[in-house]
Amino acid sequence: MRLHRLDITAFGPFGGAQSVDFDALSAAGLFLLHGPTGAGKTSVLDAVCYALYGSVPGARQGGQGTHLRSDHAEQGTRTEVRLELTVAGRRLEITRQPPWERPKKRGTGTTLDKAQTWLREYDAVRGTWKDLSRSHNEIGEEITQLLGMSREQFCQVVLLPQGDFARFLRADAEARGKLLGRLFDTQRFADVEKRLAERRRATEARVREGDTALLADAHRMQQAAGDAMELPDLAPGDPGLAVAVLAAAAVARSTARERLTVAHCGLTAAESAHTRAQEELADARELARLQHRCTEAQDRAARLAERAGEYEETRARMERGRKAETVAPALELREDAEHAHRKATLAEANARRALPGDQADSGAPGLTAAARRATEELGGLASARRAEHRLTELLAERAGLDREERADEHALREADAWLDGWEPARAALQARIESAQEAAARAESLAVRRDPARRRLDAARRRDRLTSDVAAAGRRALDSGQRAQQLREDWLDLKEQRLTGIAAELAAHLTDGAPCAVCGATEHPAPARKDAGHVDRDAEQRAFDEHQEAQREHDEHKQHDTGLRADLKAVTAEVGDTPADRIAAEVTELEREFEQARRDASGLHAAREELRRAETERERRLQSRQQSAVRAAARLTRRDTLDHEQATLEAELTRARGTADSVAARAAQLERLAAVLTEAADAARTAEEAAVRLKDADARLSDAAYRAGFDTPAAAAGALLDSATHRALQHRLDERQSEESAVRAVLAEPETVAASRQGPADLAGAGERAAGAERRLREAASARDEAARRTTELDRLSAQAEEGARRLAPLREEYDRVARLAALAAGTSADNERRMRLESYVLAARLEQVAAAATARLRLMSAGRYTLVHSDDRSGRGRSGLGLHVVDAWTGRERDTATLSGGETFFASLALALGLADVVTDEAGGVRLDTLFIDEGFGSLDDQTLDEVLDVLDSLRERDRSVGIVSHVGDLRRRIHAQLEVVKDRTGSSLRRRGT
């Protein structure tokens, strides 16, 4: 990272705009930033930090940035910091403006403007700056990523504060740990410690939860086993809980299986007794059923004998219906033929009503021949239809030609009228253009004269104001001069009075035995006394101060009067003695003439545009008139052609129409006639055919009735049965036959006959014996089911407990492992010999790296005497691993860094700061730091040590690195030529560059 330029406006002690050219300062490699205390040296570094991170280091950061504004800045000047730097090979420009309470543009009071941030990058190819972002968050993330450091790391690595590192050398382990933790971001290791502790508590809770679930399963097994299980006297988390629960479950399962075996034996005996009782009951029921079946069959046989006559009548009716079914097709055929004959006769009568009178009585052949003749005549009218259609198109085209002719005639008359007025209109437009051009030239000339006239008017008015101001200033200077002279005389009078009574003033300080300041005597017999009007030193000094203040005021008035007279002389030389009213009248007249000329010239563009449109319209109308003449000639030729074709078509249509109004009307007449004749011929043929079919159907019906045994067709029709009646009669016959067969079958069964010969069955006794056996069976089955349920439930709960124990085993192992790791990371484990936490261990490793890097420069600064070493020893109750000692090569002893002298502490802390910068830079990804700042501490070094320290700092310039030293030590201003001086005064601080 290399800084190029820093621009500061209204920031800190800098009331105005200040710039720092770091490229010029860095040319020598080593430069000095110096100035008196409170001038603002640290504010320059704060501006660099604010530009990069949007905040300043340490306690100086507060609020929302409003404290960064300079108290010396003017009210309308906004605070701004702009930094140009190169980082990671990219040249960037960062501009930041903190929040600003500015005066309102309207009304009174102030309003708060939000903070603004800009990030730009220089494009070397195009040679321009391009905007990257205006977002605070995006710019902050981009800069942090490029630098690889947080603000705290940057302030320790680039802005090396020596006071902090001196305190670091003398600090205890806790303070060192806090600083190193901020620089190296070891929070992640503290998070690891916290995460391990949380995991230990979480796994412990999960183990206890698993033990609780295991004990809950044990309680459920105890409930399932009854009095066959005893629970272990252990709590969740106690060792051996799972083994004790599983052992008790095994004992309970064994007892439950023994009880299940006994219940199985009792159930087998009850099942045998129940089977015998059920067989006895079934035999009694079967005997009762057979006896009832025989009695019922005998009753059904008696009822069948009573309905024998009804059965014979139904069977005879069914026989006559089967004979009539052979005549049914002939009956249906005759009905269809009669229906078709009636329909055809009606259709023929309807068709003949539409025929012409000469065809009303014609037969089917005559009607067919007449329809054929009408169709042939209709086909001959196709050509006449096309001719009629063409005549319609021709008449439409002729009407279109007439309309076009009328439109062309109207357009020609309008074009002629417009063209007749073309020349006067063009001349008028040309005159408008020339008049507007003259007005534009006149306005330009007046504009050249107007500005000098305005300046002369302003000068004349300023001359008049200065004339009155000079008179007033002269009066004020005269009055202040008289007052200063009077006060001077008053002061001289008081001074003379004091000198007159000086003896009394000196006598007031005489002491017995002390020599007099005038005569040297030690005795003072008659010292002078102060009278009532004595003037003392304070009164004289007040008079002198009043005189000096009045004289300063008089000098200011004289200086102001002289300046006003010089301004009046210059203005008078410019404008002369011409009155301002006359010049104002001249300016007003020029303004009026200029406005009039400008208004006249404003119509120039409109006049030119109107002339252009008029010329375009003239060309269009000339072309339209020419096209109208061409179309008129073409229309004349086309009209002759259409007249000849119209005469031919009209002759042809007259022949084809006959007596009709048109060919289409004649064709419609023929179409209707052909359709009527055709329909009547078809209806006549259909009626004749229907009459023949009806006669044939009557003959077939008579023959079928005779063959079936019926005297007439009407008798056969009366014997026919519909489907519902036929099904009902057949159902009666089938039921009769089925009932007779069933009764004969029952009465012929041997077992039924045998049962009817035995005594009544004893169903009540057999039922009671079967119910008792069934009750005993249910009790045995319930006992067996209860034993089986207990066994199954114990097996299920035991399997669940074993599964829970298996799942709990790796969790308990994880808890043991995590607990050991958490104790080791927290420093409470016996395996952690030094009782070091994980974060302390990492910080100790970082401190060891810093000590090694610092020693390389500390040996050069101390001429090889001192070496920094890291110590793991525990100091009191503090944390171990963060000790820092110095080894003195002259004595060979190792001692604490707090015992170093002031100068030794400075170069030791400087070496520590440089070493820390190297380690943090490597931690940040190896970002190259080409600009470093070192703040204060050089005043405690002697000349030789200062030379050695400067040699070490001068070695930092290798590979084009620059180092800035912030100090007010005078010797450094003689040794370092490139300097940036901070100068302060009542209006704020400013920057001055020297030696570059």
Side-chain angles (χ1 to χ4, degrees), residues 531-835:
D531 56 15
H534 178 74
V535 178
D536 57 7
R537 181 178 180 83
D538 294 337
E540 180 193 353
Q541 185 63 38
R542 285 195 299 273
F544 178 75
D545 292 341
E546 291 177 357
H547 159 62
Q548 289 292 329
E549 180 64 24
Q551 185 64 38
R552 184 189 62 76
E553 184 178 356
H554 173 62
D555 293 341
E556 290 178 354
H557 288 165
K558 283 184 64 179
Q559 183 179 3
H560 182 61
D561 180 58
T562 301
L564 290 175
R565 291 181 183 276
D567 293 341
L568 177 61
K569 183 177 180 182
V571 172
T572 304
E574 178 183 354
V575 74
D577 297 330
T578 305
D581 295 341
R582 184 186 304 171
I583 298 175
E586 294 176 358
V587 171
T588 302
E589 181 62 23
L590 280 175
E591 292 285 356
R592 186 189 63 76
E593 293 178 359
F594 173 76
E595 291 297 330
Q596 182 62 40
R598 191 176 64 176
R599 285 194 298 271
D600 295 341
S602 63
L604 176 60
H605 176 73
R608 285 175 175 173
E609 186 65 22
E610 187 174 353
L611 177 60
R612 184 189 63 78
R613 290 195 300 268
E615 290 175 347
T616 303
E617 180 66 16
R618 176 177 175 272
E619 293 296 330
R620 187 187 67 79
R621 290 182 180 272
L622 289 174
Q623 185 178 6
S624 175
R625 186 167 63 178
Q626 182 180 0
Q627 292 175 351
S628 297
V630 172
R631 286 195 299 272
R635 280 195 303 271
L636 184 60
T637 303
R638 182 60 179 166
R639 189 178 283 112
D640 293 341
T641 303
L642 293 177
D643 290 343
H644 177 70
E645 186 178 358
Q646 180 179 358
T648 303
L649 292 173
E650 287 178 348
E652 181 181 353
L653 290 175
T654 300
R655 290 190 302 269
R657 278 198 304 267
T659 60
D661 295 335
S662 63
V663 175
R666 178 59 181 168
Q669 291 176 358
L670 292 175
E671 287 177 354
R672 288 195 298 273
L673 179 58
V676 169
L677 291 172
T678 302
E679 183 180 359
D682 292 341
R685 283 193 299 269
T686 302
E688 293 174 358
E689 293 174 356
V692 173
R693 286 196 299 272
L694 177 58
K695 184 178 181 181
D696 184 59
D698 286 337
R700 290 184 180 181
L701 176 58
S702 299
D703 184 61
Y706 176 76
R707 291 182 180 181
F710 294 99
D711 296 335
T712 61
L720 276 177
L721 299 176
D722 57 22
S723 57
T725 304
H726 183 275
R727 284 196 300 272
L729 294 176
Q730 186 63 46
H731 181 65
R732 292 178 190 174
L733 296 177
D734 292 341
E735 283 184 347
R736 171 76 182 196
Q737 292 175 358
S738 298
E739 184 69 10
E740 289 178 350
S741 299
V743 169
R744 285 195 299 270
V746 171
L747 294 177
E749 293 175 355
E751 61 274 13
T752 303
V753 175
S756 64
R757 296 172 181 172
Q758 296 180 12
D762 185 12
L763 287 177
E768 290 178 0
R769 290 188 293 274
E774 185 175 1
R775 184 178 62 256
R776 289 188 293 274
L777 176 62
R778 284 198 302 271
E779 292 174 355
S782 297
R784 193 278 313 271
D785 292 342
E786 178 64 20
R789 185 191 63 76
R790 289 177 181 272
T791 303
T792 303
E793 184 67 11
L794 286 174
D795 291 341
R796 184 184 67 81
L797 293 174
S798 297
Q800 182 175 331
E802 291 173 358
E803 179 64 24
R806 282 194 298 272
R807 289 197 305 268
L808 191 59
L811 185 60
R812 188 176 292 278
E813 293 176 1
E814 180 185 0
Y815 166 69
D816 295 339
R817 182 173 63 255
V818 171
R820 287 195 302 272
L821 286 176
L824 186 64
T828 59
S829 173
D831 297 334
N832 193 332
E833 297 178 356
R834 296 187 179 276
R835 295 291 190 266

Side-chain angles (χ1 to χ4, degrees), residues 412-432:
L412 283 173
R413 286 194 300 273
E414 185 181 356
D416 291 340
W418 192 90
L419 291 173
D420 290 342
W422 160 247
E423 289 300 331
R426 186 183 65 80
L429 290 174
Q430 191 63 39
R432 285 176 56 191

